[in-house]
Amino acid sequence: MDESLKRSLRRRAVKTTLKRVRLDHLSVLVDGQHNAAAFEPEFDCVVHSDHEDHDHGGTDRFEDVFSGGEDIDNGVGINNPDEHDHPAGDVDDRGCKSEPLCTHASPTPYEPPLAHPCDVNAAERVDLSGSEDTAGAGEEAEEQDEELVQSEASLSDSDSHDVSEYEHERPHFNSDREKEQYVIDSIRDWAQKPGLLSLTKLDDLLHLLSVVFPNMPLTYTTLFQCDYQFDISEFVSGGTFWYRGIRNYLKQLNMKDYLEKFKEITLDFGIDGLPLDKIKLWPLLGSLVGSDNEPFIIAVYKGLRDPTDVNEFMSRFITELKDLHENGYRYEGKVIKIIIRYYILDAVARQFLKCITSHGGYAGCERCTVDGDYIDNRMTFLDLDAPLRTDQSFRDKEQPQHHKGISPLEEVNTAMISQVLLDPMHMVWAGVVKRLLDFWINVIGAWKLHHEVIELISSVFEFLRPYCPTDFNRKPHDLTLRALNVLS
């Protein structure tokens, strides 16, 4: 039980006992009509006198030890019935004027004292005007005691109920091995909940707990029971290929909020090769449109050169796309429609997946049917009014020089022009703008930039570099380095 409630109960019990004792002794005083013989044994009285001689106008007082030193100015003194009067208007020891004492010789019925104007405990005095009031006060005290006992019992019952409920939820272990396994399973469930978690710190936590639990996994890979049996296949044309799939990624997501908002799943796909040291890496990525999730890996190709067989490279991806188009994605018993929005590819990947000629070929333009001319060792496209390509014209292969085969994307009804986007990063910023900068900085002529202008532009780039968003993998460079042909 709460300690504050215990202290309150103890204070209430002491106060009730003092009131009962006071009632008993004052009842004797009323029944005996100021009989000193009946009064003296019940009270320990101390007579105070202002002078040594009590017969010379001294004021006799007595203090009740049970009333905490309160004065009872209720009539004549005990030792001398003919005590002198207390002058009206005298100031008592508390600094307040008192009423004159009764001087009648004949006994009078007892009247309770009036509340003193400076008595802070006057509110706690008990009305003793009659025996019925006395009995009523006793009954009221008993009722208060019963209420306190009931409240204490109810609190103790609620405490015991809470304790029993907690003990019911708390797991019980028959051995240390069961306790250890419970801790391992709890950490695994906690680590897999949504939110950010440093795997390095998780490993540190596991090492610390292994001191107490010897069988605790030491790494997160062991804790999560990771399966390292990746589905890696060897291409006949060379290279290795690992396919993860689209469904395996969607199964890990909580799609409830997304589907409540969009009602269907929309995806983007992209390929951008990574020219690593002596290795070519081609990741096939996907992105859930409308969400804040990062792009996810669908498949990865690794080889000493770029993949050469598009059907072998796209076989498993096309098979899964066909299944998703025909059967949809099942989530919580519902069939969700899958929509492919765009394919975002660089120039090399577009040529490879669309099975078309390279961007430097005579029919290399992907947006119109212009025929190029080879001038000064460069392919140029002079006809700016050539007919535009459409999805249907691409499917009908109206310009045979543009095509080198049938793209596997056509098997899933891909719009080969409107759904396959041109990459502005490679075409504009890392393509045209890069060549213009080289021309303005390194080629001598009226267009060549002054070195002070180059330094001014470089200072702006250096100022903006720390504030460049993380989405921009290529940070702005100093143009003076390009002027020295340091940057390619």
Side-chain angles (χ1 to χ4, degrees):
M1 185 170 51
D2 190 9
E3 291 296 327
S4 61
L5 180 59
K6 290 182 180 180
R7 290 194 295 269
S8 177
L9 290 174
R10 285 197 293 267
R11 287 196 297 269
R12 183 62 64 86
V14 172
K15 186 181 293 184
T16 304
T17 303
L18 290 177
K19 286 183 178 180
R20 288 179 177 176
V21 173
R22 188 183 301 161
L23 289 173
D24 294 340
H25 290 295
L26 292 181
S27 297
V28 173
L29 179 62
V30 174
D31 296 338
Q33 296 183 353
H34 305 282
N35 189 344
F39 185 79
E40 288 178 356
E42 299 294 330
F43 285 85
D44 293 333
C45 301
V46 180
V47 178
H48 296 275
S49 176
D50 294 337
H51 304 284
E52 292 181 1
D53 187 0
H54 296 280
D55 296 332
H56 292 82
T59 302
D60 297 343
R61 292 172 176 267
F62 64 90
E63 294 182 348
D64 181 6
V65 295
F66 295 101
S67 61
E70 296 179 356
D71 297 336
I72 302 179
D73 302 331
N74 56 359
V76 297
I78 297 175
N79 295 331
N80 190 358
D82 299 329
E83 190 64 295
H84 297 284
D85 296 342
H86 190 287
D90 287 353
V91 179
D92 61 7
D93 53 358
R94 289 175 290 192
C96 300
K97 291 184 177 181
S98 60
E99 299 294 333
L101 297 175
C102 178
T103 57
H104 296 286
S106 60
T108 57
Y110 172 77
E111 296 182 0
L114 299 176
H116 199 280
C118 294
D119 190 357
V120 296
N121 296 322
E124 296 182 2
R125 295 176 182 247
V126 182
D127 185 8
L128 302 177
S129 58
S131 59
E132 294 180 358
D133 297 339
T134 303
E139 293 177 358
E140 182 179 358
E142 292 179 357
E143 292 177 356
Q144 293 177 354
D145 293 344
E146 292 179 359
E147 292 178 357
L148 291 174
V149 171
Q150 293 177 358
S151 62
E152 178 182 356
S154 63
L155 287 175
S156 61
D157 293 340
S158 62
D159 293 341
S160 61
H161 176 70
D162 295 340
V163 172
S164 62
E165 184 178 358
Y166 174 76
E167 291 179 351
H168 177 71
E169 295 178 354
R170 185 175 180 178
H172 297 279
F173 307 104
N174 297 324
S175 64
D176 293 340
R177 178 56 184 165
E178 291 184 2
K179 183 185 297 184
E180 183 180 49
Q181 188 61 41
Y182 174 80
V183 174
I184 295 174
D185 295 339
S186 299
I187 293 177
R188 183 185 299 112
D189 295 340
W190 165 76
Q192 292 177 343
K193 290 182 178 180
L196 298 178
L197 176 63
S198 173
L199 298 180
T200 302
K201 290 186 177 181
L202 179 58
D203 287 349
D204 295 340
L205 175 63
L206 297 177
H207 277 82
L208 293 175
L209 293 177
S210 64
V211 178
V212 182
F213 303 104
N215 295 319
M216 176 67 67
L218 299 181
T219 61
Y220 70 89
T221 54
T222 308
L223 177 68
F224 296 147
Q225 299 176 354
C226 297
D227 185 8
Y228 291 100
Q229 300 298 324
F230 295 109
D231 185 11
I232 300 177
S233 58
E234 296 284 342
F235 280 176
V236 177
S237 58
T240 56
F241 186 76
W242 170 68
Y243 188 80
R244 181 190 185 191
I246 302 172
R247 293 181 184 273
N248 290 334
Y249 170 75
L250 296 178
K251 289 178 181 179
Q252 299 178 354
L253 300 181
N254 184 2
M255 304 289 292
K256 183 178 180 180
D257 295 338
Y258 181 86
L259 294 177
E260 287 179 356
K261 182 177 181 180
F262 298 103
K263 308 302 181 183
E264 56 191 13
I265 298 176
T266 305
L267 299 172
D268 286 341
F269 299 113
I271 295 177
D272 188 5
L274 302 177
L276 302 179
D277 186 20
K278 297 181 180 181
I279 293 177
K280 294 295 184 69
L281 202 65
W282 278 49
L284 175 57
L285 306 177
S287 176
L288 185 62
V289 178
S291 70
D292 296 331
N293 297 348
E294 295 181 354
F296 59 94
I297 298 177
I298 300 174
V300 177
Y301 165 83
K302 187 189 74 169
L304 299 179
R305 59 180 181 176
D306 292 335
T308 57
D309 190 341
V310 64
N311 293 313
E312 190 177 28
F313 179 81
M314 297 291 290
S315 174
R316 299 184 63 178
F317 175 74
I318 296 300
T319 301
E320 186 174 18
L321 275 187
K322 287 181 179 179
D323 180 65
L324 290 174
H325 279 309
E326 294 174 1
N327 304 317
Y329 175 72
R330 186 171 296 276
Y331 180 79
E332 294 184 351
K334 299 179 180 180
V335 178
I336 310 301
K337 184 179 179 181
I338 300 292
I339 296 178
I340 309 303
R341 189 177 66 164
Y342 296 128
Y343 292 87
I344 306 170
L345 314 169
D346 63 357
V348 178
R350 286 198 308 273
Q351 171 199 341
F352 179 67
L353 265 63
K354 293 174 67 175
C355 298
I356 60 176
T357 185
S358 66
H359 58 280
Y362 284 97
C365 181
E366 299 184 43
R367 288 297 181 259
C368 70
T369 58
V370 61
D371 290 327
D373 295 324
Y374 198 75
I375 303 174
D376 294 336
N377 298 325
R378 288 176 176 84
M379 183 60 65
T380 58
F381 301 97
L382 301 178
D383 187 4
L384 302 181
D385 298 323
L388 297 179
R389 298 187 190 277
T390 63
D391 295 332
Q392 187 61 39
S393 66
F394 184 94
R395 187 174 295 275
D396 294 339
K397 298 178 177 50
E398 293 181 357
Q399 189 183 26
Q401 300 89 338
H402 182 68
H403 301 272
K404 298 174 64 175
I406 299 177
S407 171
L409 294 178
E410 297 184 52
E411 299 180 22
V412 290
N413 298 323
T414 302
M416 302 300 293
I417 300 299
S418 59
Q419 279 190 275
V420 181
L421 301 182
L422 300 179
D423 180 18
M425 195 272 286
H426 290 92
M427 294 185 62
V428 179
W429 310 119
V432 176
V433 175
K434 176 182 176 182
R435 299 189 67 176
L436 286 175
L437 284 176
D438 290 336
F439 185 76
W440 292 333
I441 292 175
N442 299 319
V443 179
I444 299 175
W447 51 82
K448 191 176 188 302
L449 297 178
H450 194 271
H451 68 88
E452 292 182 356
V453 177
I454 296 176
E455 293 177 357
L456 178 60
I457 297 175
S458 298
S459 64
V460 175
F461 285 173
E462 290 298 323
F463 172 77
L464 295 176
R465 183 181 178 88
Y467 306 102
C468 191
T470 55
D471 295 338
F472 290 80
N473 294 324
R474 304 190 182 190
K475 309 300 181 183
H477 294 288
D478 188 351
L479 289 184
T480 57
L481 298 178
R482 185 172 295 279
L484 298 176
N485 293 323
V486 175
L487 295 178
S488 57

